[in-house]
Amino acid sequence: MTMTTAGVIFVLTLVAALVAVYKPFGDHMFRAVSGTKQSRVERGIFRLVGVNPAAEQSWGVYARSVLAFSAVSILFLYLFQRVQNHLWLSLGFDPVVPHGAWNTAVSFVTNTNWQSYSGESTMGHLVQMAGLAVQNFVSAAVGIAVAVALVRGFARSRTGQLGNFWVDLTRIVLRILLPIAVLGAIALMIGGVVQNLSGGTDVSTLTGGTQTITGGPVASQEVIKELGTNGGGFYNVNSAHPFENPTTWTNWLEIFLIFLIPFSLPRVFGRMVGQNRQGYAIAAVMGILAFLSVAITNIFELAGHGTVPQAVGAAMEGKEVRFDVSNSATFAAATTLTSTGAVNSFHDSFTSLGGMMTMVNMMLGEVAPGGTGSGLYGLLILAVITVFVAGLMVGRTPEYLGKKIGSREIKFASLYFLITPIMVLVGTAAAFATGNNSTALNVGPHGLSEVLYAFTSASNNNGSAFGGITVNTTWWDTALGLCMLLGRFLPLIFVLALAGSLARQAPTPASEGTLPTHRPLFIGMVVGVTVVLVALTFLPALALGPLAEGL
């Protein structure tokens, strides 16, 4: 079997599995976020924190709850790292330096999980488990909660209430993330991913010496990383490490887990607005963009464009032999199409055009299918922009799901879309203007690509790294931390403000002039608007970096 054939089978089985779970898992998530009954554990949590589960919140209160929870989480995680040398299971590690602790705290709370350090040699077990892994859960749950709040804005009328953030957060963690994480961790352990808390595993047979390694809660962190679409790994090389991703089928499983929640959330959207076909339309947009990206990335990598790949016969530099080119390219596309950030290969060693695709995936706004929750609300924002453009073309007030898209709504949508490109391009320019691009391993177009990738990853809350650039300095930790912070919470505020504006509207009956938003025409329009907006925004930067290198 050729590498190309194996890659095609790999992708097709992945698509089949995602199609199979779309309805049952989407229905499960719908019941989790829409049910009214509370479990005994949930009632205990609500009493402990003083939350009335029957009380709902306006968009402003919901937003303040998200921001308050996140602010406390950042402070706690920062302090946790700074005093880790005094904690149990610290493994003798020193406290994390202030700028590194700030960057890491912001990174994990914003669902980015960018790591400017080697996890296994910097963090003790307690900080890894009670600090980083906990944020893997709750930061992912925050994204889903905000997406659900936006959908409620479409589904409800003449109300200012969008649900209760604390109830949503608790249910999502207990009913969705924890059960799947347990099952996924068991599957990965069966596949060979280690799970222990003891040091002293003898690897002398592998190294020819008497070296020992320290184990850790790798299996559980690995599945939390993939399920929560976070890139933080226990080992510095992430899913390229055989302890985190031993075989081809664990590689397949991790990609499946990366896509599971984001691709199933459109089903929740369809159920909540009472039109499953609307969910299918959003899922179709995600699927088209994702399939095109995976296919193009594979084509660029399998073609081996470049002098060295052509000379040796394949673009294997920076890739694990057990995964080959195609499975590495598919993983790279999956991790950058979502906000995962995990890697099983060195993106900096991809071909120039293959590496460009990993950046383009993030520049799309990570909506195909995007992060847990953030992908859905990002694509719904693009759908709002699309119906507005369509309304301008025919001279009618645009409508989406019975809600008019007026000046207030389009302002929120536009601000959401503009925030991330501003941070990416301004951050990249600032790095060159201040001379901090000198930490890049390369010069010329590839050096620009390394800097551009770093800011694209941070601002889009992805967390993957192009590699080849040193970012554990005070300037880089501060700059990228600000990009992660603003890239997460400014768009989130605009999403909730849009949800509140939509929820207060009275329903608008469909008429002959209403654009059907469940048909292939609309699906194609959303795909086109997404691609055009990204091309107009980022093409000049890409032309100076990966495109110039590729040509």
Side-chain angles (χ1 to χ4, degrees):
M1 183 184 298
T2 66
M3 187 185 301
T4 302
T5 303
V8 170
I9 295 173
F10 187 94
V11 172
L12 291 180
T13 56
L14 186 64
V15 171
L18 291 170
V19 170
V21 301
Y22 173 80
K23 183 176 179 180
F25 188 65
D27 288 344
H28 168 70
M29 289 196 291
F30 168 73
R31 291 189 294 269
V33 299
S34 300
T36 56
K37 293 183 179 179
Q38 312 295 334
S39 69
R40 183 176 300 177
V41 174
E42 290 167 351
R43 288 195 297 270
I45 292 174
F46 296 146
R47 283 196 296 269
L48 181 65
V49 299
V51 170
N52 177 9
E56 295 208 355
Q57 299 172 323
S58 65
W59 81 264
V61 177
Y62 203 104
R64 288 195 293 273
S65 298
V66 172
L67 295 176
F69 176 74
S70 301
V72 171
S73 297
I74 290 173
L75 179 61
F76 172 79
L77 190 53
Y78 175 84
L79 293 175
F80 212 22
Q81 296 172 80
R82 294 290 294 141
V83 300
Q84 79 158 348
N85 59 312
H86 300 295
L87 301 177
W88 181 55
L89 294 176
S90 68
L91 303 181
F93 291 143
D94 293 329
V96 181
V97 295
H99 59 84
W102 141 263
N103 183 276
T104 302
V106 170
S107 176
F108 278 77
V109 172
T110 59
N111 198 231
T112 308
N113 293 34
W114 171 275
Q115 292 178 285
S116 60
Y117 55 87
S118 299
E120 72 270 31
S121 61
T122 306
M123 303 287 185
H125 289 334
L126 189 63
V127 175
Q128 291 267 15
M129 293 186 299
L132 307 188
V134 167
Q135 288 304 319
N136 283 167
F137 278 105
V138 295
S139 63
V142 167
I144 299 175
V146 173
V148 169
L150 176 59
V151 176
R152 290 186 184 125
F154 284 108
R156 296 180 176 184
S157 301
R158 300 187 181 94
T159 180
Q161 307 304 306
L162 296 176
N164 188 306
F165 168 72
W166 307 105
V167 174
D168 290 339
L169 180 73
T170 303
R171 286 179 173 177
I172 291 165
V173 171
L174 295 181
R175 301 186 186 189
I176 299 174
L177 298 177
L178 269 172
I180 303 300
V182 171
L183 295 175
I186 293 172
L188 286 176
M189 283 189 285
I190 292 173
V193 177
V194 298
Q195 171 71 17
N196 69 353
L197 277 177
S198 60
T201 303
D202 187 7
V203 292
S204 57
T205 56
L206 301 178
T207 62
T210 58
Q211 179 184 359
T212 58
I213 63 171
T214 302
V218 181
S220 57
Q221 273 195 246
E222 183 67 20
V223 73
I224 294 166
K225 175 186 73 178
E226 311 301 351
L227 186 64
T229 61
N230 295 292
F234 188 89
Y235 295 105
N236 187 40
V237 293
N238 212 271
S239 289
H241 199 292
F243 286 176
E244 286 199 22
N245 192 6
T247 65
T248 300
W249 82 261
T250 60
N251 194 58
W252 185 96
L253 178 60
E254 289 185 10
I255 297 175
F256 174 77
L257 291 171
I258 288 171
F259 280 143
L260 176 60
I261 293 177
F263 262 129
S264 299
L265 276 174
R267 176 70 179 182
V268 181
F269 167 63
R271 290 289 304 273
M272 290 182 69
V273 299
Q275 301 181 53
N276 284 329
R277 59 188 184 181
Q278 298 290 346
Y280 289 129
I282 295 299
V285 175
M286 291 179 173
I288 291 170
L289 291 170
F291 185 81
L292 288 174
S293 171
V294 171
I296 295 172
T297 305
N298 269 275
I299 289 171
F300 285 151
E301 288 302 294
L302 288 169
H305 174 69
T307 304
V308 174
Q310 291 290 333
V312 301
M316 279 299 296
E317 181 186 353
K319 298 180 177 68
E320 291 295 310
V321 176
R322 66 185 186 277
F323 298 142
D324 69 49
V325 172
S326 182
N327 288 355
S328 299
T330 300
F331 196 105
T335 195
T336 50
L337 283 167
T338 62
S339 64
T340 306
V343 295
N344 76 345
S345 56
F346 200 44
H347 292 185
D348 194 39
S349 294
F350 274 36
T351 63
S352 54
L353 299 181
M356 178 189 70
M357 285 304 301
T358 62
M359 281 188 274
V360 169
N361 292 338
M362 294 183 286
M363 291 170 179
L364 287 172
E366 293 183 330
V367 295
T372 47
S374 60
L376 177 61
Y377 65 66
L379 195 51
L380 290 177
I381 292 289
L382 286 166
V384 167
I385 294 174
T386 301
V387 296
F388 181 77
V389 172
L392 292 178
M393 294 171 66
V394 298
R396 292 183 60 89
T397 301
E399 302 166 12
Y400 187 46
L401 300 176
K403 300 298 178 71
K404 290 186 178 296
I405 307 301
S407 61
R408 180 181 176 85
E409 288 75 24
I410 199 62
K411 285 175 184 176
F412 288 139
S414 299
L415 288 170
Y416 172 93
F417 180 81
L418 290 172
I419 287 296
T420 302
I422 289 173
M423 290 188 298
V424 172
L425 298 176
V426 171
T428 302
F432 280 89
T434 58
N436 283 282
N437 64 301
S438 61
T439 61
L441 180 64
N442 294 276
V443 296
H446 199 81
L448 172 61
S449 295
E450 291 175 348
V451 175
L452 180 63
Y453 192 107
F455 280 101
T456 302
S457 178
S459 301
N460 284 281
N461 300 131
N462 181 269
S464 66
F466 207 48
I469 184 171
T470 301
V471 292
N472 60 347
T473 66
T474 300
W475 190 91
W476 276 103
D477 277 340
T478 303
L480 295 177
L482 288 173
C483 285
M484 289 185 282
L485 193 69
L486 298 177
R488 174 71 163 182
F489 294 112
L490 285 182
L492 186 148
I493 291 171
F494 295 133
V495 168
L496 291 173
L498 175 62
S501 179
L502 294 171
R504 286 193 294 270
Q505 291 186 26
T508 301
S511 65
E512 291 295 328
T514 301
L515 173 67
T517 55
H518 61 278
R519 296 179 181 172
L521 174 62
F522 181 73
I523 294 171
M525 288 180 65
V526 177
V527 171
V529 166
T530 303
V531 173
V532 169
L533 286 177
V534 170
L536 292 174
T537 305
F538 291 108
L539 186 57
L542 292 173
L544 294 173
L547 281 174
E549 183 183 2
L551 295 174

